[in-house]
Each structure stands twice: as structure tokens, then as C-alpha cells.
Amino acid sequence: MSEDNNTTTNNNNNNNSEQCSIFTELDKELAAKAKQEYEGGQYDVCLKTLQKILESWPDDPKVLFNIALTEYAMSSFQKTDIFKTQLNKIAEKLHCSLDNVTTLEEPDQCTLFYNMSVLLYHMRQYRSALLIVEKLFRLIGQIDETLSWKICLLLCELDLCTFQPENALATVIHLEKLLSERSSSPSNGLSHSPNMLNDSLEILKSKISLYKIRCLLMLKSLRTCKKELKQLQNTNISSTSLTYARANFEYFKENHTRALKILTNNQQTNSSLISLQTNSSHCFYNNLSCIHFHLHKSAFALFYMRRALTENNRLLIEQLNSNDKQLIIHNINRKYEILYNLGIQLLFKHQPLPAFECLIDVIHIYSNNIRLWLRLAECCIMIYRSSNEDIFKLEEKLKCVLQSIGNGFHHKLILGNCNTSTSSKKSTITNGNENCSMEFALFCLKNALTSLPIITEADLQKEETKLYPAPPGNPMRIGDMIALKCSILTAAAYVSLCLNDFVSAKNYATNLLDEPRASSGHKYLARLYLSESLLAMNKIELALNQLDAEMIKNENDLSFKMPITTIDKEEKSDTPEITPPIPKADLVSWLPRDARVGQAIVYYNIAAIYAITNDVEKAFKHFNLFVNLFGKTQPAHSFQLKFYLDLLDGNRHRLQILLKENFGHLTSNKSFVAFPTLTHTLSTNNS
């Protein structure tokens, strides 16, 4: 869920007109006047005042910087390239290079490097900006107090933009401590800098509190975040950022109706949201879409997400059509975050091909996102086989008997194959993106497995604090990473089976079973896939050893929920909501949902193995157990196994009854006469 990013860095290009003590009193008066004119937005008047100072100090770096900054402000911060060129020239006079942060050594150089980091931030080059600001942070004790605070706030913002909430929280705690010390000692405190950051003390506190809330939300420390939100709301300070923070908090608490109410009510009543309608409307629609998606209103969710993409494109076109590119255009563009959300929603909506086209564009930006590689593979899998619901349809059952030929004594039935995997694979290439294949799915899963971090015992001890970045989403905890690993191994085993790579399928399933924290559902699938791969490798006994229906006693033995961590227990122990949460929608619906069906699938696989070994008695025993547990509505391929077992047993009469009951339109009205089954007939039917 996106959050409105009204950061303090938007106003960080303030005019630094404090001059050295060698300036004359007239120069100091002109500098103070220029600062007042700049803060009042009178840039043309300010420029004339600065040019008067320049006559006395033609080579002074501070004067040159203030002139460059004022000219940049006069262009509405559009002529970024010219401003960067001027900064580089001034940096040469100070014997440093803005492209090399190691040259930052003196306090006089900090202003230039700080403004360069602000430019990089707005151009969304967060890593480069963070390198500069981290170096600036080491020098805050030697520079102006106002600039020091700006550096700290920008450091918080960059840590959050690079998904390092623990580092940002450490900086916030440092600011809170500093603010508390200065508030308790007015002789040395903020009263000496009443216009610091152009804000009052209360507004400064609210900014720090908002940063803390954003850190806690990214860390999903909801209980602490709730206390911080209450304290901030008691100050009666309202802003768009606070509204988004409140909505984001309710979103993480799964109170989606309340989150929607907060967003929509604020949109209707808050007059300060004019900027939201102009520069952040795409974020607003993105948030609405995410909320509606979790409310199971998928049509509304897709509508708002496409609206967000349209708004994003509109804002970009408006900026590109202007004479000069504004600096803010880089910060406005949220195309790839919106495409990522749209792709996920389409995938859950069972529209894998459009989802694949969205996510394949995003992978170039977020190639380190392990979960994104899994989603791409899931798109390919869903196109290959959308769900197992098809095998219960009448048209699939009718494929078991293709044709009726001959009459009377020579009446024959041609048995077919209800397995639609082959036809699905062909349609993948003819009707959609040729890259969306099972081979590409395996490629994505291998990339995901390669990118998985190695989780050591030391990491498990730090489970409550250890985080792994997963842009554009929030960082993942160790439990989430383990669950992701299990999902990747499960998908890799399935895809390998579909590609007839039985050795790889065996290895993936074995690795999944060796994972101690894998869920019961993952281990259930791992045993099925391992058994099938061993069977294909003609290891009958080992394949049978993996199948035990008695291991499935209740629904918990098929659950995909991971063990609850300490943090989850703390968050779930909070006061329960009055409105019961809506159950989450599953990505697919063809997994066994109860123990009865789970046991039936195991019995069916055991019966199939015994049928291959020609052990008819045991095969019939387990097949009957499968039928009793599954009920009347059976999958289409169960008829194929029954045909094979009856032919293998030589019970022609029982096979005729089965055909009359289920495929009567292809059989004659007369009763079948049982004839001895010849060997060559059996071999033909077996094929």
C-alpha cells in the first residue's frame, strides 16, 4: 500500500546566507535581507540583493551558491542540469568533487553535498544520496544546527526509501533524544533557533513522530505504532501524511473497511488535499485499489488500479510537455509500483497472461525481489493449468471415451485421455506471450532459489529484528522468507514433474521435506511430488513409502500457515476488533481443503502405483477407499484408472456396467455379453 510522501526534503533548498565574520556590517544586512526575500518567495528581488554582495565578494563560494540556488528557484526548480553544473563549479573552488563523496572533509563543503543529495533523492537515486548523507551525518557536530537537523531528517527519509526501517528508527530515536534535551534546557535550546526548518517546535515534533510511525509500519510493529498514532492525533495536527499513516495502520491490522473510510472521508472533508488531486492522485487510487482487493471486490480493485496507472501517465505527460522537466517529475512516477500491484491482482483474479505482461515489465526494475520471480512462475503455471476444477466438469469426463464404432458383436469403444496439460501447453504459445511457458517458469524459480539468503542459526536467534528487503513491498521477516522458500521449492518440484525432469523434482521435494519449519501443506505436496518422481524413476517401494493417508487426520495437516513467531503473537494479542475479519482469498482453489479429500488423493496415488505393478487386489482396495472418501463427484481421471483396473482384472461385466452408468450415450441399449478377454486386447487397452 503506497503512502503519500510529503517529506521535509521538499523544502530543503533553503537559502544559506549566513556569512563569515569578515563580512562588513553592510554585507551582513544585505545577506539577512536576501534570506528574508528568499523565504518570502521573492526570488527576483533576492537575486538582485545577492548580486550586490557578489560585487564585494566575487569568488566567495557561499555567495555563488546562493545565487545559483535562487536562479534554480526562479525556474520553479526545473533547470536541474544547469543547477548541477553550477554546483560542480563551486565544488571545484572548495577543492572537492560532488561525484566523489570521499572528498567531503570540511564543514564548508557540507552545504553543497547536502543539496546534491537532495537532487539525487528527487531523482530517486536513493542509494547514491544515502552514501552522501551518511558521510554528512558524521560531520553534524561541526556544522550549522539547522543544516544538521535537515541532514538527520533526510537520512530518515532515505533509509525508508531504501527499505531500511531499523536504521531510520535509530535516527528517529536520536532526534527524539536531542529534541528532549534541548526542550528541557531552554538556555541552550531551540529558542535560539525559532525558525529552524521554518517550523514551530510542535510541527517539528510531528514530523519526527510521522517518521517513527512510518518506520514502525514498515517493521509491522503495530502495537507500538498504535500508541504513537494516538499521541500524534492528540496534538490536533492534521496532514495528508498522517491520514495515509492511519489508513496504512488499519490496512496492516486487516481493518480494511475502516482504512477505506479514513481515506474517503479525508478526501471529501480536507481542503488541504488539492495537491493530492494534482500530484498524488495515482497514489490515492492505488491505495483504494489495494483496500478493495482485500475486501474481495476485485472488479473495483482492478478499476482503481488501472485508474492509478492512467493518472500516473497523465502526470508524466503533463510534465514532459512543459518547456523544462521539473525536478518533481522523477518523484511523481510510480509506474512500476502500480504495475506490480496490478500484476498481483490480475494473478489472483485468475488472469495469468495480463498479469505476466505487467510483472515482466517490473522485473527489470526489481530483479532482486525473490517473490516477484515466484509470481512470474505462478503466471506460467496458471496458464499451463488454470486449476483442477476442470477435471470435475462433464466435458472432461466425456474425454475418457472418445468414440463408439461398430455395431452389435463388433461394437467397440475407443478410450481417450482426459489429461489436458498437453493442450494447455500448446495454447500458451499460440494465444499469448511465447515466453510464458513452463520452461520459463523453471528459469524464474531457479533465479528465486539462487537469490534466497542463507539463514543461519544466528539469524534465527534474531528473528524479531532480522529483515530482508523486498522492494517495492515492505521488508520480510525470517518467517516470511522461510515460507517463500517453501513455496518456491513446491512450485519447482511441480514444474519439473510437468517437464519430465524427475531427478530435479525429486531433489526439490527432498529439500522441501528437509526444511524443519515448512508447513504441513507444503510437506503434504512434497510427499506427493516425491512419490511421483520416484515412481517415474521406477523406484516403486520408495514411492509407496512416501504415501501414508493416516498422516492426514484433520485440516491442520493440510494447512499452509507457518508457525506463529513471537512478534505475531504480540500483535495478535491486541484487543480484537468488533467486526470479524473477512477470510483471505486463496490464489488457487485446487488444493485439498479438508482431511477427507487429502486422504482420498493419497489412496488414489497408492492405487495407481499398485495398478502399475499389476497388484490388482491392493489396487482395488485403495481405489475403493478413494471412492468412499471422495464421494459421487469424482475427477475424470479416476474413471480411466477404474477402466484399467477392470480390464486388468478381466471383469468385463463390471466395466460394462460402469460404461452404461456414466457413458450411456455411447453404449448400446442391449446388455453386454461377457466374452473372454484376450491378451492382445489387454495390451491394446493398456496403451
Side-chain angles (χ1 to χ4, degrees), residues 304-423:
Y304 284 122
M305 194 60 71
R306 290 191 174 102
R307 179 71 181 274
L309 192 60
T310 302
E311 287 293 308
N312 186 82
N313 294 336
R314 178 186 64 81
L315 292 171
L316 291 179
I317 291 173
E318 288 180 358
Q319 296 297 332
L320 291 173
N321 288 339
S322 60
N323 295 330
D324 296 292
K325 296 181 181 180
Q326 290 187 357
L327 181 64
I328 197 174
I329 187 175
H330 300 282
N331 227 5
I332 285 178
N333 187 14
R334 299 288 172 180
K335 173 184 175 181
Y336 294 103
E337 291 94 326
I338 296 172
L339 278 178
Y340 178 85
N341 288 339
L342 179 59
I344 298 301
Q345 290 188 8
L346 289 169
L347 181 60
F348 275 76
K349 185 64 176 173
H350 293 272
Q351 299 180 29
L353 188 56
F356 181 85
E357 293 173 349
C358 291
L359 297 179
I360 201 67
D361 290 338
V362 178
I363 198 64
H364 302 292
I365 306 298
Y366 303 110
S367 57
N368 293 329
N369 188 327
I370 305 173
R371 187 181 287 155
L372 180 54
W373 286 109
L374 174 63
R375 297 305 186 200
L376 280 170
E378 288 175 341
C379 291
C380 300
I381 294 172
M382 192 174 291
I383 290 177
Y384 178 83
R385 191 179 188 90
S386 59
S387 72
N388 276 356
E389 294 177 356
D390 294 340
I391 62 177
F392 295 97
K393 295 180 179 178
L394 177 61
E395 52 267 28
E396 290 298 318
K397 188 178 77 169
L398 295 179
K399 291 180 182 179
C400 294
V401 180
L402 285 182
Q403 190 177 359
S404 172
I405 59 174
N407 292 309
F409 182 81
H410 300 287
H411 184 206
K412 306 291 182 183
L413 297 178
I414 301 177
L415 301 183
N417 184 11
C418 62
N419 189 355
T420 58
S421 298
T422 305
S423 59

Side-chain angles (χ1 to χ4, degrees), residues 273-286:
L273 286 179
I274 299 176
S275 61
L276 174 69
Q277 299 172 359
T278 56
N279 291 334
S280 301
S281 55
H282 53 327
C283 296
F284 175 73
Y285 288 119
N286 173 81

Side-chain angles (χ1 to χ4, degrees), residues 217-228:
L217 284 173
M218 195 171 287
L219 290 167
K220 296 186 180 179
S221 300
L222 301 183
R223 174 175 289 187
T224 310
C225 183
K226 183 178 181 180
K227 296 178 182 178
E228 197 69 27

Side-chain angles (χ1 to χ4, degrees), residues 70-324:
T70 305
E71 291 175 345
Y72 187 41
M74 289 177 64
S75 70
S76 300
F77 302 104
Q78 292 181 348
K79 299 180 179 180
T80 305
D81 293 336
I82 297 176
F83 181 59
K84 288 174 67 176
T85 303
Q86 293 173 331
L87 288 182
N88 287 321
K89 291 180 179 179
I90 299 171
E92 292 177 1
K93 295 180 179 294
L94 294 174
H95 309 290
C96 61
S97 174
L98 296 178
D99 296 329
N100 187 1
V101 71
T102 58
T103 60
L104 173 58
E105 296 176 351
E106 300 297 330
D108 291 340
Q109 303 167 346
C110 290
T111 302
L112 287 179
F113 277 93
Y114 169 76
N115 280 270
M116 189 63 190
S117 64
V118 172
L119 289 178
L120 292 172
Y121 162 75
H122 283 290
M123 296 171 69
R124 304 187 71 177
Q125 299 179 23
Y126 301 131
R127 294 289 179 182
S128 301
L130 187 59
L131 288 175
I132 297 176
V133 176
E134 286 177 344
K135 185 67 177 292
L136 288 170
F137 186 74
R138 302 169 194 166
L139 301 173
I140 58 174
Q142 308 175 38
I143 59 179
D144 173 66
E145 182 185 42
T146 302
L147 183 58
S148 300
W149 277 87
K150 292 180 181 180
I151 290 171
C152 292
L153 292 174
L154 181 56
L155 180 59
C156 290
E157 180 67 31
L158 290 172
D159 281 329
L160 288 172
C161 290
T162 54
F163 303 96
Q164 302 179 67
E166 65 281 2
N167 294 344
L169 189 59
T171 307
V172 167
I173 294 173
H174 168 75
L175 289 175
E176 286 181 333
K177 182 179 179 181
L178 187 62
L179 197 62
S180 176
E181 290 175 355
R182 292 182 175 274
S183 299
S184 60
S185 54
S187 60
N188 255 347
L190 297 172
S191 57
H192 288 227
S193 304
N195 293 324
M196 184 179 62
L197 301 177
N198 297 325
D199 292 328
S200 66
L201 179 61
E202 289 301 321
I203 294 179
L204 181 60
K205 286 182 178 179
S206 69
K207 287 182 178 180
I208 297 174
S209 183
L210 272 174
Y211 274 118
K212 188 173 184 179
I213 290 170
R214 289 175 62 190
C215 294
L216 294 172
L217 284 173
M218 195 171 287
L219 290 167
K220 296 186 180 179
S221 300
L222 301 183
R223 174 175 289 187
T224 310
C225 183
K226 183 178 181 180
K227 296 178 182 178
E228 197 69 27
L229 274 172
K230 283 186 176 180
Q231 292 178 2
L232 187 58
Q233 286 179 272
N234 292 335
T235 60
N236 295 324
I237 296 177
S238 61
S239 67
T240 305
S241 298
L242 178 58
T243 300
Y244 275 85
R246 290 175 56 211
N248 207 356
F249 170 76
E250 299 296 341
Y251 178 83
F252 282 130
K253 290 280 289 183
E254 299 184 6
N255 299 331
H256 302 115
T257 303
R258 181 166 175 78
L260 181 63
K261 185 178 180 180
I262 291 172
L263 277 182
T264 53
N265 286 355
N266 193 75
Q267 169 77 354
Q268 296 171 359
T269 59
N270 196 340
S271 59
S272 67
L273 286 179
I274 299 176
S275 61
L276 174 69
Q277 299 172 359
T278 56
N279 291 334
S280 301
S281 55
H282 53 327
C283 296
F284 175 73
Y285 288 119
N286 173 81
N287 295 344
L288 282 182
S289 175
C290 293
I291 294 173
H292 280 92
F293 175 72
H294 285 281
L295 288 173
H296 296 190
K297 299 179 180 179
S298 55
F300 281 111
L302 291 174
F303 168 78
Y304 284 122
M305 194 60 71
R306 290 191 174 102
R307 179 71 181 274
L309 192 60
T310 302
E311 287 293 308
N312 186 82
N313 294 336
R314 178 186 64 81
L315 292 171
L316 291 179
I317 291 173
E318 288 180 358
Q319 296 297 332
L320 291 173
N321 288 339
S322 60
N323 295 330
D324 296 292

